[in-house]
């Protein structure tokens, strides 16, 4: 089977890598991809949000499956365009993808489905916003209602800062602060059935100790050795299955991955947000641990045959990924700097090699034969091992062999969990 992956980040590199390891896959293609993905897939210069171009490419390649990575093409209806050509597509249609594209829609679905989440007000005027802030009190949570690549959210104890963010958005959702550790759970869905992947934890703030601005994610690890054993089961029962059923009831069956971003509060798991796609960088560690071949699993989702799929198999052990971010990420990342320490066509291995570690590319490009940064999150260094401590040590060992002028990374990814 030929598979076409849409997107160009570390998540897409992880998807392409896992697909290439699947014996049922004869060719992996990616549009538009990046310099690292080029080592595991054939790249095509197609704009991900252009449904006509993506579906034409899928037909031309004779793809048996298209996997749409990022939210922008999903919200733009690219999965619909691909399915309209009769090509199986992993990724929700435009309508249910609004579960990520519109916070107000997501809240409406959760209310109807009885899914536990933060109480919230949607506000348009400054007066409404001020009243909502005062109704909840600090810490204040203010979210842009549109797509903002994880950067439209301000959590602050400063009322003026909260109000200023509200003023800068056309429509905002102001909500109750949820207190507790955050967990990302991905459920694979075929419109009716849903199957959970292993939960992971992401580090959203830019700097060590969860300080600094929100980012797309600075690192991740799995498994969650500290989480309650029945967490996945509880989240499926209380959150994922009711949401999938509610969407089906509304005539917008959900096909693809439903990403539940959760806070584990003292009253139980609460939804912080839903995303319509795999999380980045959590996917990089979750797919590393998944032993079940990926193509057949995603195809079963795309064709409505998930219920008949064999139970998932996991590798055991642990995986940790650390993001190497460009200078000035997330505010205004600098691009075009040379990356050193990654031999050309080294299949993701750092110079000298570190056992159990490899590098996925997030924002890279080739300038002649020079590998350069080309985005805010540049590389994902993945370490694996028997436990989190070993996986983490290997990730940081490999990271230490890479140089990128001005770059920064967190040094505390999976640190607390590895000590428990
Ligand atoms: P979102 O884009 O909705 O995932 O929000 C980004 C980050 O802001 C989340 O990962 C949380 O760390 C934080 N956040 C969002 N909503 C809340 C909330 N209601 N309570 C506490 N933290 C939140
Ligand atoms: N890592 C967070 C996200 O993908 O939205």
């Amino acid at each position: 089977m030929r598979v076409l992956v849409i997107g160009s980040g570390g998540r897409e590199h992880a998807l392409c890598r896992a697909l290439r390891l699947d014996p049922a896959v004869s060719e992996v293609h990616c549009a538009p991809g990046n310099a690292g993905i080029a080592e595991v897939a054939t790249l095509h210069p197609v704009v991900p949000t252009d449904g006509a171009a993506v579906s034409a490419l899928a037909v031309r390649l004779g793809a048996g499956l298209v996997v749409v990575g990022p939210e922008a093409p999903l919200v733009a209806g690219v999965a619909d365009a691909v399915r309209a050509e009769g090509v199986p597509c992993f990724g929700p249609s435009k309508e249910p993808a609004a579960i990520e594209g519109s916070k107000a829609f997501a809240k409406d679905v959760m209310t109807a489905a009885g899914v536990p989440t933060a109480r919230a007000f949607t506000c348009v005027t400054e007066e409404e916003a001020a009243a909502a802030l005062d109704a909840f009190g600090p810490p204040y949570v203010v979210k842009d209602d549109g797509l903002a690549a994880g950067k439209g959210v301000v959590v602050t104890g400063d009322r003026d800062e909260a109000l200023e963010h509200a003023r800068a958005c056309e429509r905002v959702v102001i909500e109750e602060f949820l207190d507790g550790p955050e967990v990302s759970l991905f459920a694979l869905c075929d419109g009716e059935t849903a199957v959970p992947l292993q939960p992971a934890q992401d580090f959203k703030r830019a700097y060590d100790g969860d300080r600094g601005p929100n980012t797309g994610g600075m690192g991740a690890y799995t498994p969650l050795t500290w989480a309650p054993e029945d967490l996945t089961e509880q989240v499926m029962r209380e959150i994922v299955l009711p949401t999938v059923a509610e969407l089906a009831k509304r005539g917008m069956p959900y096909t693809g991955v439903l990403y539940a971003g959760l806070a584990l509060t003292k009253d139980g798991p609460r939804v912080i947000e839903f995303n319509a796609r795999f999380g980045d960088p959590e996917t990089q560690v979750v797919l590393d641990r998944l032993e079940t071949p990926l193509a057949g699993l995603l195809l079963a989702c795309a064709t409505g045959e998930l219920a008949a799929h064999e139970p998932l198999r996991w590798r055991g052990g642990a995986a940790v990924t650390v993001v190497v971010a460009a200078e000035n990420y997330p505010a205004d990342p600098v691009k075009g700097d040379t990356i050193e320490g990654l031999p050309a066509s080294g299949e993701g291995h750092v110079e000298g090699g570190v056992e159990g570690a490899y590098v996925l590319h997030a924002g890279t490009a080739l300038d002649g034969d020079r590998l350069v940064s080309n985005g805010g999150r540049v590389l994902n260094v993945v370490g694996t091992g028997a436990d989190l401590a070993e996986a983490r040590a290997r990730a940081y060992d490999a990271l230490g062999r890479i140089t990128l002028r001005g770059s920064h990374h967190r040094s505390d990814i999976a640190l607390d969990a590895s000590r428990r």
Side-chain angles (χ1 to χ4, degrees):
M1 174 172 43
R2 296 193 189 116
V3 184
L4 170 62
V5 174
I6 304 303
S8 61
R11 165 186 51 214
E12 286 74 29
H13 194 170
L15 285 164
C16 288
R17 180 178 182 273
L19 288 165
R20 211 182 72 149
L21 293 170
D22 182 340
V25 176
S26 54
E27 291 171 24
V28 183
H29 296 263
C30 185
N34 64 36
I37 297 175
E39 293 184 9
V40 292
T42 307
L43 304 192
H44 302 272
V46 162
V47 177
T49 50
D50 184 341
V54 169
S55 55
L57 175 64
V59 170
R60 185 162 63 76
L61 293 172
L65 174 68
V66 174
V67 180
V68 182
E71 61 275 22
L74 293 167
V75 170
V78 166
D80 306 79
V82 171
R83 282 195 271 270
E85 293 295 335
V87 181
C89 185
F90 181 86
S93 297
K94 183 181 170 126
E95 274 194 314
I99 198 114
E100 169 163 7
S102 163
K103 306 246 183 223
F105 173 76
K107 285 288 180 193
D108 186 60
V109 169
M110 283 188 266
T111 306
V115 167
T117 182
R119 288 175 297 133
F121 294 110
T122 302
C123 311
V124 178
T125 69
E126 188 173 335
E127 290 68 37
E128 286 168 1
L133 292 175
D134 294 335
F136 294 129
Y140 303 104
V141 181
V142 183
K143 302 186 176 185
D144 193 333
D145 185 44
L147 271 188
K151 285 167 244 162
V153 179
V154 166
V155 181
T156 176
D158 182 343
R159 188 176 180 280
D160 291 337
E161 190 189 339
L163 204 54
E164 194 184 318
H165 184 58
R167 235 182 264 127
C169 307
E170 216 167 285
R171 235 157 85 102
V172 286
V173 175
I174 291 178
E175 65 182 40
E176 168 193 16
F177 179 78
L178 297 172
D179 202 7
E182 282 182 43
V183 168
S184 303
L185 184 85
F186 307 148
L188 302 180
C189 308
D190 72 350
E192 211 177 306
T193 306
V195 171
L197 299 185
Q198 187 172 298
Q201 190 168 47
D202 174 27
F203 292 73
K204 287 250 169 67
R205 300 283 186 142
Y207 312 127
D208 281 9
D210 290 330
R211 281 191 297 268
N214 244 311
T215 70
M218 294 296 290
Y221 68 90
T222 190
L224 306 184
T225 42
W226 50 270
E229 219 169 286
D230 62 347
L231 176 67
T232 297
E233 203 186 306
Q234 186 184 8
V235 173
M236 290 304 288
R237 190 177 61 239
E238 295 178 2
I239 293 170
V240 172
L241 293 171
T243 302
V244 169
E246 173 63 24
L247 289 168
K249 193 173 117 196
R250 292 183 183 207
M252 37 177 107
Y254 193 95
T255 302
V257 56
L258 182 65
Y259 165 147
L262 308 163
L264 305 191
T265 74
K266 62 175 179 9
D267 304 318
R270 299 279 178 274
V271 175
I272 290 182
E273 64 166 349
F274 278 129
N275 290 319
R277 50 164 178 91
F278 283 108
D280 187 344
E282 300 97 306
T283 299
Q284 286 82 315
V285 287
V286 171
L287 291 186
D288 184 275
R289 296 292 92 191
L290 180 67
E291 203 168 61
T292 302
L294 188 62
L297 181 57
L298 301 187
L299 183 65
C301 295
T303 54
E305 287 159 354
L306 192 53
H309 197 280
E310 58 157 19
L312 302 191
R313 284 176 281 119
W314 296 93
R315 291 189 217 284
V320 172
T321 187
V322 184
V323 170
V324 177
E327 179 177 24
N328 235 338
Y329 175 77
D332 185 17
V334 178
K335 297 182 185 175
D337 280 307
T338 304
I339 301 163
E340 282 170 294
L342 286 178
S345 64
E347 302 250 323
H349 292 293
V350 289
E351 230 138 66
V354 172
E355 192 195 337
Y358 57 92
V359 180
L360 299 170
H361 292 221
T364 65
L366 283 176
D367 180 3
D369 56 6
R370 209 162 52 97
L371 182 66
V372 297
S373 58
N374 190 38
R377 294 189 290 177
V378 180
L379 299 169
N380 308 141
V381 185
V382 182
T384 64
D387 57 20
L388 287 171
E390 186 176 45
R392 176 170 198 282
R394 287 170 166 178
Y396 280 106
D397 182 358
L399 186 145
R401 300 175 191 222
I402 300 168
T403 344
L404 171 62
R405 190 205 58 80
S407 68
H408 62 99
H409 64 267
R410 281 184 62 158
S411 63
D412 62 350
I413 303 301
L415 180 60
D416 286 349
S418 71
R419 285 175 172 162
R420 286 199 215 196

